[in-house]
Amino acid sequence: MNYLSTRDNNLRMTPAQAIAKGLAPDGGLMTPQVMPTLAKNALENLKNMSYQQRAVYVLARFLEGFSSSELTAYARAAYGGEKFSHPDVAPVRRLNENTYCMELWHGPTCAFKDMALQMLPHLLSASLVKIDEKKTVCILVATSGDTGKAALEGFKDVNKTQILVFYPKDGVSNIQQLQMVTQEGQNVGVCAVVGNFDDAQTGVKKLFSDEALAQQLAERGYFLSSANSINWGRVLPQIVYYISAYCDLRREEVIEPGQEINVCVPTGNFGNILAAYYAKMMGVPIKTLICASNENNVLTDFIRTGVYDRNRPFHNTLSPSMDILISSNLERLLFELSGRDDKLVASYMEQLAQEGRYEVNKSIRNKLQRNFAAGYCDDTQTKKTIEKIWKEQRYLIDPHTAVAFHVLEEYRRETKDETVTVVVSTASPFKFCSSVLDALGEKEFAPGTEILDQLSQLTGVEVPKPLACLKDKQVRFDKVTEKEHMVDEVLDYLR
Ligand SMILES: *Cc1c(COP(=O)(O)O)cnc(C)c1O
């Protein structure tokens, strides 16, 4: 099976090319030519298998040219015992009769980005061999916090790869900074940039379009690439956990074979919830996908009205990983909902680039509303939800997950839909200690890593090991650069 661009059905690539290139040359996103479906008994057969085995089954459906022994090795390396602290990898926890929570933060960086970024480096490194690329790839990342650390952990010591992460000096939390500057591995680099996230991001974009730099690096045997969430190699591993969640609910006999469930997903760039939609296309009985946003509610409006309009104020919220006004992966959904009308998708994306706005046609809007529901949650409601779930259920959640719980509650009140629902939990509450402590009524916060113990003592919940270890780790990276000099950092790093 090949992959094609969402903006041109004639632009084809093999799976290895699609993963190695990341983006189509026309700016479109590489997408499977046909969506594979699950065999009739697949969900019943998978229900007694491990997460790693489920991953191999799903990945194999999409990756012609990758052998099952290759995929098995990657699944073990990505999700095996020393990487994920929970044997189920993505455990599904019961809250009440019809509410379940899938925890996607048991990986090495305690956020859901690990689910994809533990797998992507293996797929990428293998793809480069398959397309006969001789040069070593250097992944450049500008991060506002979560992605940088997850990418560092994923690429750490992976063959034929290097990774260099730039973070804004004053734009990440203490814990996030500490997570990055103590990163281990032979092929990793971390550098602070004077300024905010925009400065770091603009700087990295400039590096990608710097032809003199590309030339110099090529002579040294390197080329630059990115690991952002539009790469198919990041979307694909995310389909696995929706299939896995359904299998777990079947294994525990919460649902009958074929019984429909809903999913509720805290959403930013639309990668996570898109994977749920692909799982539905493959045959997982998912009825409604509930898209939960924070105050940057461009997707809520889009799903309710069919109008996508990014012309609105940007809010910094308690759920920073969802502070996004352009959800790149939405393009793949439009491609499916339009019946794979590449010209139409290209015209919507052109309007988005020119005017920051487009309105989908009636047929797309109807399909959108048949499959999706949407809601949003402000910071006050986010904090109230953290407190409420803690008081009522003794279950500690982070601000992103709280957005989803709040939106689910409103959805149920409005629709009376009591379908069994899987809420997706995207980060450990310990990654956002001060917000969580504040929600629980604490007014003073302990300094540095002591804040982890403060939250743990208050709640009796154990600090996740990768965060608890931070205080004993050595700082390996203390470089700071002006954004004009980022190019020198790259050249110095790839000597
Ligand atoms: C990235 C992220 C999200 C948003 O996921 P998308 O795939 O971008 O929609 C939600 N929560 C957390 C904690 C994240 O890191």
Side-chain angles (χ1 to χ4, degrees):
M1 189 229 318
N2 278 323
Y3 285 69
L4 41 78
S5 164
T6 47
R7 299 185 196 177
D8 180 1
N9 285 337
N10 294 318
L11 206 160
R12 303 282 166 94
M13 293 186 190
T14 64
Q17 285 170 327
I19 291 168
K21 302 285 174 216
L23 192 70
D26 63 359
L29 311 188
M30 298 311 295
T31 299
Q33 192 178 350
V34 281
M35 199 52 65
T37 49
L38 294 169
K40 194 160 167 293
N41 275 324
L43 292 170
E44 290 302 301
N45 293 338
L46 289 169
K47 91 183 174 199
N48 294 315
M49 293 189 190
S50 69
Y51 189 87
Q52 289 87 322
Q53 289 169 315
R54 292 169 182 171
V56 171
Y57 175 86
V58 177
L59 264 53
R61 281 211 143 57
F62 288 88
L63 297 178
E64 220 174 78
F66 289 70
S67 71
S68 134
S69 66
E70 276 179 282
L71 296 176
T72 304
Y74 307 155
R76 187 176 306 140
Y79 305 121
E82 65 279 25
K83 289 292 178 71
F84 275 72
S85 63
H86 197 291
D88 288 351
V89 180
V92 176
R93 178 188 169 117
R94 180 183 193 274
L95 290 188
N96 62 36
E97 180 175 50
N98 61 355
T99 312
Y100 288 77
C101 191
M102 171 160 62
E103 297 175 345
L104 298 180
W105 42 261
H106 291 278
T109 78
C110 304
F112 106 98
K113 301 284 189 294
D114 289 332
M115 301 303 301
L117 280 167
Q118 280 297 313
M119 179 55 78
L120 173 72
H122 301 289
L123 297 177
L124 179 60
S125 160
S127 296
L128 294 174
V129 174
K130 288 180 202 294
I131 67 168
D132 211 20
E133 174 63 63
K134 296 282 190 295
K135 294 195 282 295
T136 296
V137 63
C138 177
I139 305 292
L140 289 188
V141 183
T143 185
S144 56
D146 283 349
T147 306
K149 177 62 183 178
L152 286 163
E153 273 298 321
F155 279 94
K156 167 178 90 180
D157 296 332
V158 171
N159 213 6
K160 296 277 278 176
T161 71
Q162 296 277 332
I163 175 164
L164 181 55
V165 171
F166 292 101
Y167 69 91
K169 187 164 172 290
D170 305 312
V172 302
S173 75
N174 283 345
I175 299 276
Q176 285 175 323
Q177 179 176 21
L178 204 55
Q179 276 188 302
M180 290 188 275
V181 298
T182 57
Q183 177 65 44
E184 290 160 4
Q186 296 304 310
N187 61 339
V188 301
V190 176
C191 182
V193 179
V194 178
N196 58 24
F197 173 59
D198 253 355
D199 295 313
Q201 167 130 307
T202 312
V204 164
K205 280 193 179 149
K206 261 212 219 62
L207 296 175
F208 278 122
S209 55
D210 184 338
E211 284 180 21
L213 175 66
Q215 183 63 41
Q216 254 177 307
L217 292 180
E219 284 161 17
R220 299 182 189 180
Y222 294 104
F223 72 102
L224 298 177
S225 183
S226 90
N228 64 24
S229 74
I230 54 185
N231 189 314
W232 179 253
R234 270 189 71 177
V235 177
L236 175 55
Q238 298 179 359
I239 300 174
V240 177
Y241 50 74
Y242 288 101
I243 293 172
S244 178
Y246 193 87
C247 291
D248 282 0
L249 293 178
R250 275 293 303 130
R251 189 185 62 205
E252 302 305 315
E253 299 190 345
V254 174
I255 51 174
E256 304 288 324
Q259 187 179 329
E260 287 188 319
I261 62 167
N262 290 344
V263 296
C264 182
V265 187
T267 298
N269 216 3
F270 210 78
N272 199 349
I273 196 167
L274 174 77
Y277 183 73
Y278 283 142
K280 176 173 180 167
M281 285 181 77
M282 290 178 75
V284 180
I286 297 174
K287 188 172 71 170
T288 302
L289 298 101
I290 304 165
C291 175
S293 302
N294 63 24
E295 263 188 288
N296 296 296
N297 56 0
V298 59
L299 287 166
T300 315
D301 291 345
F302 174 64
I303 290 168
R304 289 182 180 171
T305 66
V307 176
Y308 194 97
D309 191 350
R310 65 151 301 184
N311 302 303
R312 59 180 75 208
F314 176 86
H315 300 280
N316 287 304
T317 73
L318 296 178
S319 42
S321 299
M322 293 154 67
D323 291 345
I324 288 174
L325 290 179
I326 296 194
S327 299
S328 319
N329 264 307
L330 191 60
E331 180 168 347
R332 286 192 169 105
L333 181 71
L334 295 175
F335 187 62
E336 302 302 338
L337 296 182
S338 66
R340 310 197 133 206
D341 186 338
D342 52 352
K343 302 284 170 301
L344 189 60
V345 172
S347 87
Y348 290 152
M349 291 304 115
E350 181 62 21
Q351 290 171 49
L352 181 63
Q354 297 301 324
E355 292 140 43
R357 180 186 188 278
Y358 59 88
E359 176 166 8
V360 295
N361 66 30
K362 217 161 141 198
S363 143
I364 297 180
R365 193 181 67 214
N366 288 340
K367 277 192 216 159
L368 181 67
Q369 293 171 346
R370 258 206 313 279
N371 287 286
F372 289 84
Y376 73 97
C377 176
D378 66 23
D379 280 353
T380 310
Q381 292 161 329
T382 301
K383 283 198 250 177
K384 276 198 184 136
T385 305
I386 293 172
E387 186 187 24
K388 179 167 171 232
I389 303 264
W390 173 247
K391 290 220 163 114
E392 288 176 4
Q393 315 261 0
R394 289 285 130 175
Y395 186 48
L396 195 62
I397 55 172
D398 94 291
H400 303 78
T401 309
V403 167
F405 272 104
H406 175 82
V407 168
L408 174 61
E409 190 182 321
E410 290 208 322
Y411 168 81
R412 282 179 170 160
R413 195 164 47 229
E414 280 164 26
T415 62
K416 309 279 179 260
D417 179 1
E418 291 296 327
T419 304
V420 170
T421 300
V422 173
V423 177
V424 177
S425 178
T426 49
S428 158
F430 287 90
K431 276 205 104 162
F432 300 92
C433 283
S434 51
S435 301
V436 175
L437 283 165
D438 183 29
L440 299 181
E442 292 292 290
K443 291 296 162 237
E444 280 183 38
F445 307 142
T449 54
E450 285 169 38
I451 197 168
L452 296 163
D453 301 322
Q454 185 185 2
L455 182 56
S456 178
Q457 273 151 21
L458 183 74
T459 58
V461 180
E462 219 177 299
V463 181
K465 216 154 131 221
L467 299 179
C469 291
L470 279 176
K471 57 174 175 286
D472 307 319
K473 289 248 158 95
Q474 293 226 312
V475 172
R476 294 186 62 206
F477 303 99
D478 56 4
K479 276 195 174 171
V480 183
T481 181
E482 303 284 337
K483 70 170 184 257
E484 294 74 25
H485 297 134
M486 285 163 72
V487 63
D488 302 324
E489 292 304 321
V490 177
L491 285 167
D492 187 43
Y493 175 61
L494 298 175
R495 263 190 308 259

